[in-house]
Amino acid sequence: MNSISDLLQGYRAFRDGPYQQQATLYESLGKGQSPNIMIIGCADSRAEPAEIFSAAPGQLFIVRNVANLVPPYEETDGLHGVSAALEFAVGSLKVGHIVVMGHGGCGGVHASLSAAEDRPVGQFVGPWVRLLDAARDVVLQSGSDDPQTDLELAGIGTSIDNLMTFPFVRDAVESGALELHGAWFAIAHGELHWRDNKNKSFEKV
Ligand SMILES: [Zn+2]
């Protein structure tokens, strides 16, 4: 799929296939949504949450950005895109689960490692991936053989920790209404690894 013509051909295939088969579902979704799971994933084209989890329309509330990052709670004026989505998902949709999903070969994580070596990483990517600085420094100081993967995994923990800085997230977690999860998708093998939040390790599921 390279051109807009390819894109529109894909749309026509959707209209004739999946849409036709799910027309009733789409009609009911036209009245509103009530997903119970929020995914915070990377913008990377290879880690598509709906595909990986075999999710139907209406089942996943998804935010994707560079390196699946959640900034910490801030009260400053600003354009807080992830925070707005979180507020809506937790406050209005009342999702029961938030999954932060990272992936192998993440360009945003690579940018964070590049910045540590003073290589240029972009006007907007640079400041954004500074959210990984603390995790990155721990990984680099550990003498890791594979800092890219180790930072992909550690960055998922950073986002989960940052989720807990939002008062409405913390309240929902503490009341048992919301659970936070981490996952990492190994693209080349199509395998998902799930985070054990207690010992911060990942196991293939
Ligand atoms: Zn990525």
Side-chain angles (χ1 to χ4, degrees), residues 14-62:
F14 159 76
R15 278 290 298 178
D16 294 342
Y19 171 71
Q20 285 299 333
Q21 290 150 19
Q22 302 177 94
T24 311
L25 170 63
Y26 273 98
E27 192 180 352
S28 72
L29 289 174
K31 300 183 185 93
Q33 61 170 336
S34 56
N36 192 43
I37 299 175
M38 178 180 192
I39 307 277
I40 297 168
C42 184
D44 195 292
S45 63
R46 304 163 297 173
E48 169 59 57
E51 172 96 4
I52 292 166
F53 294 109
S54 306
Q59 294 183 329
L60 298 178
F61 187 76
I62 302 174

Side-chain angles (χ1 to χ4, degrees), residues 33 48 73 77 139:
Q33 61 170 336
E48 169 59 57
Y73 175 76
D77 286 344
V139 166

Side-chain angles (χ1 to χ4, degrees), residues 42 44 67-68 103 106-108:
C42 184
D44 195 292
N68 43 273
H103 68 95
C106 183

